[in-house]
Amino acid sequence: MKIRIGVGDVPERGASGGLAQLPGLLAELEELGCDSVWFSDLVSAPGAVDPLVGIGYAAGLTTRLKLGTSVVVLPGRNPAVVAAQLASLAALAPRRVLPVFGVRPALRADRTVFAVPDGRRAEVFDEALRVVRALLTEPVVTHEGRFFQLAGASVAPLPARPPDLWLSGRVPAALDRVGRLGDGWLGSNVTPAEAEVCRARIVRAADRAGRAIEEDHYGTYLTIVPDDADEQAVDALLARLRRDRPDVADPRTLLCWGWDGARERLRRLIGAGLSKFVVRPAGPVPSRRAFLEALTTELLPLENH
């Protein structure tokens, strides 16, 4: 399996908003040889950049860095427009675009932004994903569905090799969806033991659907608490994890404590069958450059070639 390590947002303590920091982050990631950069779909978060806009911007400033979304909320977006955006991005940055789709927004404040019929979000997602895939693989698409209708639609330029469509999620229904419809899985806030269970469920769902997902198309986020972490930010993160994962007795087990803990967690996740990782700090760091240099020294040697 190809072990690859990318980077999410790395906010710097006391610095101006994330948008102003983006050019420097991209330059440093490219310089340090990191595999990829990832943009989250956080409409109402201060300083957040729309993930598809972020990929387009990053494509113009980099030549090697892969560009991922983590995740794009699909229900509530027009899937034909999303397909057209991905087709354009794939032409601007061939083989570098890594789309990951999710069912619902991470922020409660964003839930009314992506409006869908009550109780139909999962159905809308499934149909929208099929529309996106069809438009990225077929020259002309006619689709008569419950939520979307297309008559002879197409996107241009049609990618010579369509990007793989990864999905997120942790609950059983989401994992089954990955097996039925997705090309890969990007998890979040899971222990190595949970990741192994998630991967196995996806494989079983793919088998039932007569599909196969490539063995190195399973990944997750790694949230690192460095030694110089902001204690208030870490406490706030732990409080969010208690709300989001009430089934976990101690949310500290979902985090990597220091670089030694990150290396050990990475090895255990690789042992569980995962090979793609997105690293982020638990909160603002004193120096973005120092954090990225530490990541380069401590974790990138675990990649293979």
Side-chain angles (χ1 to χ4, degrees):
M1 297 191 301
K2 292 181 179 178
I3 310 301
R4 296 292 182 266
I5 300 171
V7 177
D9 188 27
V10 185
E12 198 168 45
R13 203 175 300 165
S16 54
L19 290 173
Q21 299 299 308
L22 184 55
L25 173 65
L26 296 171
E28 289 172 346
L29 292 176
E30 185 108 318
E31 173 196 344
L32 293 170
C34 291
D35 177 72
S36 53
V37 63
W38 296 79
F39 297 89
S40 298
D41 202 354
L42 305 170
V43 174
S44 60
V49 61
D50 177 89
L52 296 172
V53 172
I55 284 181
Y57 180 77
L61 291 183
T62 62
T63 59
R64 181 200 54 77
L65 199 64
K66 297 187 184 74
L67 314 167
T69 66
S70 61
V71 300
V72 167
V73 178
L74 191 52
R77 281 186 164 93
N78 184 314
V81 174
V82 172
Q85 291 169 322
L86 289 176
S88 295
L89 291 168
L92 291 169
R95 307 289 295 275
R96 291 202 286 149
V97 177
L98 308 173
V100 184
F101 293 109
V103 172
R104 66 183 68 253
L107 300 179
R108 291 184 181 275
D110 292 346
R111 293 191 179 169
T112 56
V113 174
F114 299 96
V116 297
D118 289 343
R120 312 298 287 273
R121 184 170 291 276
E123 293 178 71
V124 172
F125 180 92
D126 289 5
E127 186 178 334
L129 187 69
R130 290 189 175 97
V131 169
V132 171
R133 189 182 296 281
L135 285 166
L136 290 174
T137 55
E138 302 171 20
V140 179
V141 174
T142 295
H143 175 86
E144 288 291 337
R146 179 170 296 179
F147 305 104
F148 306 104
Q149 293 78 41
L150 301 174
S154 62
V155 299
L158 191 67
R161 176 176 173 175
D164 290 332
L165 306 180
W166 287 39
L167 310 184
S168 67
R170 184 182 61 249
V171 300
L175 300 172
D176 291 345
R177 181 182 294 110
V178 179
R180 288 188 291 106
L181 300 175
D183 298 318
W185 174 66
L186 184 67
S188 179
N189 299 328
V190 292
T191 66
E194 290 173 330
E196 187 170 18
V197 171
C198 290
R199 189 187 192 282
R201 183 165 187 127
I202 292 168
V203 171
R204 290 195 300 271
D207 288 344
R208 289 195 301 271
R211 305 179 67 242
I213 295 175
E214 294 186 38
E215 67 171 7
D216 64 352
H217 279 38
Y218 297 86
T220 190
Y221 266 90
L222 288 179
T223 303
I224 298 177
V225 184
D227 294 339
D228 54 3
D230 183 299
E231 292 185 6
Q232 288 186 328
V234 174
D235 288 344
L237 174 58
L238 289 171
R240 285 200 305 276
L241 290 173
R242 289 188 188 96
R243 291 193 300 270
D244 295 342
R245 294 294 314 269
D247 56 314
V248 175
D250 182 2
R252 293 172 60 89
T253 61
L254 301 172
L255 306 177
C256 304
W257 296 85
W259 293 106
D260 288 345
R263 285 196 306 275
E264 176 60 22
R265 177 64 59 93
L266 197 62
R267 292 189 180 100
R268 291 178 60 199
L269 287 165
I270 292 169
L274 275 61
S275 62
K276 302 296 185 285
F277 305 97
V278 182
V279 173
R280 59 188 173 190
V285 296
S287 166
R288 183 186 67 220
R289 179 75 186 196
F291 180 87
L292 294 176
E293 288 179 347
L295 182 151
T296 303
T297 301
E298 302 288 349
L299 298 186
L300 291 197
L302 296 176
E303 291 188 334
N304 53 23
H305 300 282

Coordinates of all heavy atoms in Angstrom, one line a residue, residues 100 165-171 174-175 178 182-188 190-191 194-199 202 213 217-220 274 276:
V100 N -13.6 14.4 -1.6 CA -14.3 13.6 -0.6 C -15.6 14.2 -0.3 O -15.6 15.4 0.0 CB -13.4 13.5 0.7 CG1 -14.1 12.5 1.7 CG2 -12.0 13.0 0.4
L165 N -13.9 9.2 -6.3 CA -14.9 9.9 -5.4 C -14.9 9.2 -4.0 O -15.5 8.1 -3.9 CB -16.2 9.9 -6.0 CG -16.3 10.5 -7.4 CD1 -17.8 10.4 -8.0 CD2 -15.8 11.9 -7.5
W166 N -14.2 9.8 -3.1 CA -14.2 9.2 -1.7 C -15.3 9.8 -0.9 O -15.9 10.8 -1.2 CB -12.8 9.6 -1.1 CG -11.6 8.9 -1.6 CD1 -11.4 8.6 -2.9 CD2 -10.5 8.4 -0.8 NE1 -10.2 7.9 -3.0 CE2 -9.6 7.8 -1.7 CE3 -10.2 8.4 0.5 CZ2 -8.4 7.2 -1.3 CZ3 -9.0 7.8 1.0 CH2 -8.2 7.2 0.1
L167 N -15.7 9.0 0.1 CA -16.8 9.4 1.0 C -16.3 9.4 2.5 O -15.3 8.7 2.8 CB -18.0 8.5 0.9 CG -18.5 8.2 -0.5 CD1 -19.7 7.3 -0.5 CD2 -18.8 9.4 -1.3
S168 N -17.0 10.2 3.3 CA -16.7 10.2 4.7 C -17.8 9.5 5.5 O -18.7 8.9 4.9 CB -16.5 11.6 5.2 OG -17.8 12.3 5.1
G169 N -17.7 9.5 6.8 CA -18.8 8.9 7.6 C -18.2 7.8 8.5 O -17.2 7.2 8.2
R170 N -19.0 7.6 9.6 CA -18.5 6.6 10.6 C -19.6 5.6 11.0 O -19.4 4.5 11.4 CB -17.9 7.3 11.8 CG -17.3 6.4 12.8 CD -16.9 7.1 14.1 NE -17.9 7.9 14.7 CZ -18.1 9.2 14.7 NH1 -17.2 9.9 14.1 NH2 -19.1 9.8 15.3
V171 N -20.9 6.1 10.9 CA -22.0 5.2 11.3 C -22.2 4.1 10.3 O -21.7 4.2 9.1 CB -23.3 6.0 11.4 CG1 -23.1 7.1 12.5 CG2 -23.7 6.6 10.1
A174 N -23.4 4.9 6.7 CA -22.4 5.7 5.9 C -21.3 4.7 5.4 O -20.9 4.9 4.2 CB -21.8 6.8 6.8
L175 N -20.9 3.8 6.2 CA -19.9 2.8 5.8 C -20.4 1.9 4.7 O -19.7 1.6 3.7 CB -19.4 2.0 7.0 CG -18.7 2.8 8.1 CD1 -18.5 2.0 9.3 CD2 -17.4 3.5 7.7
V178 N -20.2 3.8 1.4 CA -18.9 3.8 0.8 C -18.7 2.5 0.0 O -18.3 2.5 -1.1 CB -17.8 3.9 1.9 CG1 -16.4 3.9 1.2 CG2 -18.0 5.1 2.7
G182 N -18.8 4.4 -3.2 CA -17.6 5.2 -3.2 C -16.4 4.5 -3.7 O -16.4 3.3 -4.0
D183 N -15.3 5.3 -3.9 CA -14.0 4.8 -4.3 C -13.0 4.7 -3.2 O -11.9 4.3 -3.4 CB -13.4 5.6 -5.5 CG -14.3 5.6 -6.7 OD1 -14.8 4.6 -7.1 OD2 -14.5 6.7 -7.3
G184 N -13.4 5.3 -2.0 CA -12.5 5.3 -0.9 C -13.2 5.9 0.3 O -14.3 6.4 0.2
W185 N -12.5 5.8 1.4 CA -13.1 6.3 2.7 C -12.1 7.2 3.4 O -10.9 6.8 3.6 CB -13.5 5.1 3.6 CG -14.0 5.5 4.9 CD1 -15.1 6.2 5.2 CD2 -13.3 5.2 6.2 NE1 -15.2 6.3 6.6 CE2 -14.2 5.7 7.2 CE3 -12.2 4.5 6.6 CZ2 -13.8 5.6 8.6 CZ3 -11.8 4.4 7.9 CH2 -12.7 4.9 8.9
L186 N -12.5 8.3 3.9 CA -11.7 9.2 4.8 C -12.5 9.4 6.1 O -13.5 10.0 6.1 CB -11.5 10.6 4.1 CG -10.5 11.5 4.9 CD1 -9.1 11.0 5.0 CD2 -10.5 12.9 4.3
G187 N -11.9 8.8 7.1 CA -12.6 8.8 8.4 C -12.1 10.0 9.2 O -11.2 10.8 8.8
S188 N -12.6 10.1 10.4 CA -12.2 11.2 11.3 C -12.6 10.8 12.8 O -13.7 10.2 13.0 CB -12.9 12.5 10.9 OG -12.6 13.6 11.8
V190 N -11.5 8.5 14.9 CA -11.6 7.1 15.1 C -10.3 6.6 15.7 O -9.2 7.0 15.3 CB -12.0 6.3 13.8 CG1 -13.4 6.7 13.4 CG2 -10.9 6.6 12.7
T191 N -10.4 5.6 16.6 CA -9.3 4.9 17.1 C -8.8 3.8 16.0 O -9.6 3.5 15.1 CB -9.6 4.2 18.4 OG1 -10.5 3.1 18.1 CG2 -10.2 5.1 19.4
E194 N -11.3 1.0 15.9 CA -12.6 1.4 15.2 C -12.3 1.5 13.7 O -13.2 1.1 12.9 CB -13.0 2.8 15.7 CG -13.6 2.8 17.1 CD -13.9 4.2 17.6 OE1 -13.2 5.1 17.2 OE2 -14.8 4.3 18.5
A195 N -11.1 2.0 13.3 CA -10.8 2.1 11.9 C -10.8 0.7 11.2 O -11.3 0.6 10.1 CB -9.5 2.8 11.7
E196 N -10.3 -0.2 11.9 CA -10.2 -1.6 11.4 C -11.7 -2.1 11.2 O -12.0 -2.8 10.1 CB -9.4 -2.5 12.3 CG -9.2 -3.9 11.7 CD -8.2 -4.7 12.6 OE1 -8.0 -4.3 13.7 OE2 -7.7 -5.7 12.0
V197 N -12.5 -1.9 12.1 CA -13.9 -2.3 12.0 C -14.6 -1.6 10.9 O -15.4 -2.2 10.1 CB -14.7 -2.1 13.3 CG1 -16.2 -2.3 13.2 CG2 -14.1 -3.0 14.4
C198 N -14.4 -0.3 10.7 CA -15.0 0.5 9.6 C -14.5 -0.1 8.3 O -15.3 -0.2 7.4 CB -14.6 2.0 9.8 SG -15.4 2.8 11.1
R199 N -13.2 -0.3 8.2 CA -12.7 -0.8 6.9 C -13.3 -2.2 6.5 O -13.7 -2.4 5.4 CB -11.2 -0.9 7.0 CG -10.5 -1.3 5.6 CD -9.0 -1.5 5.8 NE -8.3 -1.5 4.6 CZ -8.3 -2.6 3.7 NH1 -9.0 -3.7 3.9 NH2 -7.6 -2.5 2.6
I202 N -16.9 -1.7 5.2 CA -16.9 -1.2 3.9 C -16.6 -2.3 2.9 O -17.3 -2.4 1.8 CB -15.9 0.0 3.7 CG1 -16.3 1.2 4.6 CG2 -15.7 0.3 2.3 CD1 -15.2 2.2 4.7
I213 N -13.0 -2.0 -3.8 CA -12.3 -0.7 -3.5 C -10.9 -1.0 -3.4 O -10.5 -2.0 -2.7 CB -12.9 0.0 -2.2 CG1 -14.4 0.3 -2.5 CG2 -12.1 1.2 -1.8 CD1 -15.1 0.9 -1.3
H217 N -7.1 2.7 -0.5 CA -8.1 3.8 -0.6 C -8.9 4.0 0.7 O -10.1 4.3 0.7 CB -9.0 3.7 -1.7 CG -8.5 4.1 -3.1 ND1 -7.2 3.9 -3.4 CD2 -9.0 4.8 -4.1 CE1 -6.9 4.4 -4.6 NE2 -8.0 4.9 -5.1
Y218 N -8.2 3.8 1.8 CA -8.8 4.0 3.2 C -7.9 4.9 4.0 O -6.6 4.7 4.0 CB -8.9 2.7 3.9 CG -9.8 1.7 3.2 CD1 -9.3 0.9 2.2 CD2 -11.1 1.6 3.5 CE1 -10.1 0.0 1.5 CE2 -12.0 0.7 2.9 CZ -11.5 -0.1 1.9 OH -12.3 -1.0 1.2
G219 N -8.4 6.0 4.6 CA -7.6 6.9 5.3 C -8.4 7.6 6.5 O -9.6 7.3 6.7
T220 N -7.7 8.4 7.2 CA -8.4 9.1 8.3 C -7.6 10.4 8.6 O -6.4 10.5 8.2 CB -8.5 8.2 9.5 OG1 -9.4 8.9 10.5 CG2 -7.2 7.9 10.2
L274 N -5.2 1.1 6.9 CA -5.3 2.4 6.4 C -4.0 2.9 5.8 O -2.9 2.4 6.3 CB -5.8 3.4 7.5 CG -7.3 3.5 7.7 CD1 -7.9 2.2 8.1 CD2 -7.7 4.6 8.7
K276 N -3.8 6.4 4.0 CA -3.9 7.8 3.7 C -4.2 8.6 4.9 O -5.2 8.2 5.6 CB -4.9 8.0 2.5 CG -4.6 7.3 1.3 CD -3.3 7.7 0.6 CE -3.0 7.0 -0.7 NZ -2.7 5.5 -0.6

